[in-house]
Amino acid sequence: ARERVLSIQLVPFDLSRKLLLSRDITQLERVQTVHRDFVANVSHELRTPLTVVGGFIETLSDMDHVDDATLRQFLPMMLEQSRRMQRLVEDLLALSRLENEPRQTELERVDMAALMNTLRVEAEGLSQGRHRVEVLDAAPDALWGNPFELHSAFGNLVSNAVRYTPEGGRITLAWRAGPDGGRFTVTDTGIGIPREHIPRLTERFYRVDRGRSRASGGTGLGLAIVKHVLARHRARLDVESKPDQGSSFSVSFSREQLCTAAKTETDPA
Ligand code: ADP
C-alpha cells in the first residue's frame, strides 16, 4: 500500500518536471533561433550598402582620371548608402538600449501640445509638400513619460505614415485625452497593410514589402522600437488598416499616466 501511494505521488511530479524541462529547452531554442535570425538580418542589411560603396570606390580607384561629372554622379549614391548604414546602426543602438534597460526609471512631464507641434513640423519636413498634414484636438494635457522615447516612438509612426502614403494623400495626427486616459493616433490614406501582416509588424526587420521599405529609407526596426518604448510606458498599440485605403496607428495611455496637474492648470473647473 505504501508503494502505491509513493508511485501515485511521484508520477505526476516527475511528469511535470519533464514537461517543465522540455518547455525550457523549447524556449531556449526559440531564443537562439531569434538571435540567429537577427544576426543574419543585420549582416544582410549592412552587406548591401557596403558592397555598393565598395564597388564605387573600386571603380573610382581604377580610373586614371576622375572628372567632376563622374564624381557628381557617384558621390550622392555613396552618401545615400552611408546614410542608410548610419540609420540602421542608430536604430540598432536605440533598440539595444531599450532592451538592456526594460524598466522605465525617470518619468518627466511630457507636454503633449508641444510634442504634437514638433511632430507636425517633422511630418511636413518629411513630406515636403507631397501630403496634407493635419493635427486634430491637440489637447494641452501632459503625460508622465520619457520625452525622448515618446518623441522617437511617435516620430516613427509619423515617418511611416508619410513614407507609406503616396503623393496627394493625407496624414492626420490626433491627441485626445479624457477621463479614461489619452490616445495618440496617426492616420494616413496610404497603401495600407493586408490583415495577415498586422500581428507581425513590430517584429525586428519584419516588412510587408522589403523593396518599398528600403526605397523609402526604412530600416525595418521602427515599429520594434515603438513596441519597446510603449511597453516601458505601459501603453497599448492598436493598428487598423485596409490595403489601398490607409492605416491608423493608435497609442493608448491609462488615466494614471496623464499629468492631472496640467489639467487643473488649463481647466480649473
Ligand atoms: P520600416 O523601416 O520598414 O518602415 P517599421 O518597423 O517601421 O519598418 O515598419 C514595418 C513594416 O510595417 C514596414 O516595412 C511596412 O511594410 C509596414 N508599415 C508600417 N507603417 C505603415 C503604414 N503607415 N502604412 C503601410 N505600411 C506600414
Side-chain angles (χ1 to χ4, degrees):
R2 203 173 164 183
E3 267 177 27
R4 251 178 54 210
V5 172
L6 266 181
S7 69
I8 290 166
Q9 285 177 336
L10 275 176
V11 167
F13 177 69
D14 262 350
L15 253 184
S16 70
R17 270 186 60 150
K18 269 186 191 148
L19 281 177
L20 269 180
L21 196 65
S22 78
R23 206 181 62 195
D24 286 350
I25 291 171
T26 320
Q27 178 73 9
L28 188 68
E29 279 170 354
R30 202 174 300 137
V31 169
Q32 282 173 341
T33 311
V34 168
H35 181 73
R36 256 198 315 271
D37 287 354
F38 181 64
V39 173
N41 273 321
V42 172
S43 316
H44 182 74
E45 295 293 328
L46 282 172
R47 192 175 59 185
T48 317
L50 276 172
T51 309
V52 175
V53 171
F56 285 144
I57 295 175
E58 220 172 283
T59 312
L60 290 174
S61 317
D62 287 347
M63 292 165 91
D64 293 331
H65 168 73
V66 183
D67 55 62
D68 274 3
T70 313
L71 272 184
R72 266 199 292 274
Q73 184 195 353
F74 277 50
L75 288 179
M77 293 192 277
M78 289 163 77
L79 186 63
E80 167 52 27
Q81 296 302 326
S82 87
R83 284 198 176 133
R84 185 169 148 190
M85 286 187 273
Q86 197 176 349
R87 274 197 303 272
L88 180 67
V89 171
E90 273 164 13
D91 278 359
L92 283 170
L93 283 173
L95 203 53
S96 124
R97 268 196 301 269
L98 288 166
E99 282 177 340
N100 288 334
E101 202 194 304
R103 280 261 193 102
Q104 190 64 265
T105 44
E106 283 171 41
L107 295 182
E108 281 176 46
R109 187 178 177 280
V110 182
D111 177 345
M112 282 306 289
L115 182 53
M116 291 299 283
N117 199 40
T118 306
L119 292 169
R120 181 181 53 78
V121 171
E122 286 173 355
E124 283 167 352
L126 283 170
S127 157
Q128 303 206 315
R130 287 176 291 125
H131 311 90
R132 208 163 82 216
V133 178
E134 288 177 343
V135 177
L136 300 180
D137 303 352
D141 301 75
L143 271 175
W144 289 117
N146 179 315
F148 300 104
E149 290 181 10
L150 287 176
H151 182 186
S152 136
F154 294 166
N156 269 311
L157 298 178
V158 170
S159 126
N160 282 351
V162 174
R163 290 188 299 111
Y164 297 108
T165 300
E167 187 160 354
R170 196 173 59 240
I171 316 289
T172 310
L173 315 182
W175 164 247
R176 293 191 176 97
D180 297 332
R183 181 176 262 232
F184 169 78
T185 309
V186 184
T187 310
D188 65 57
T189 56
I191 61 171
I193 304 159
R195 196 190 184 84
E196 65 274 19
H197 292 280
I198 292 180
R200 299 194 60 190
L201 293 181
T202 57
E203 288 175 22
R204 299 179 292 193
F205 295 115
Y206 191 84
R207 288 137 151 164
V208 177
D209 178 342
R210 188 168 290 271
R212 185 158 196 148
S213 154
R214 286 224 184 102
S216 66
T219 60
L221 296 174
L223 291 179
I225 292 175
V226 170
K227 180 178 102 175
H228 280 280
V229 170
L230 298 192
R232 284 154 68 85
H233 286 81
R234 278 179 273 118
R236 198 184 72 224
L237 178 69
D238 292 299
V239 184
E240 279 173 32
S241 189
K242 274 216 175 97
D244 301 322
Q245 290 190 24
S247 312
S248 173
F249 286 73
S250 296
V251 181
S252 305
F253 297 89
S254 68
R255 193 173 46 173
E256 290 71 41
Q257 288 160 285
L258 296 179
C259 296
T260 41
K263 275 192 144 172
T264 40
E265 269 165 32
T266 54
D267 178 16

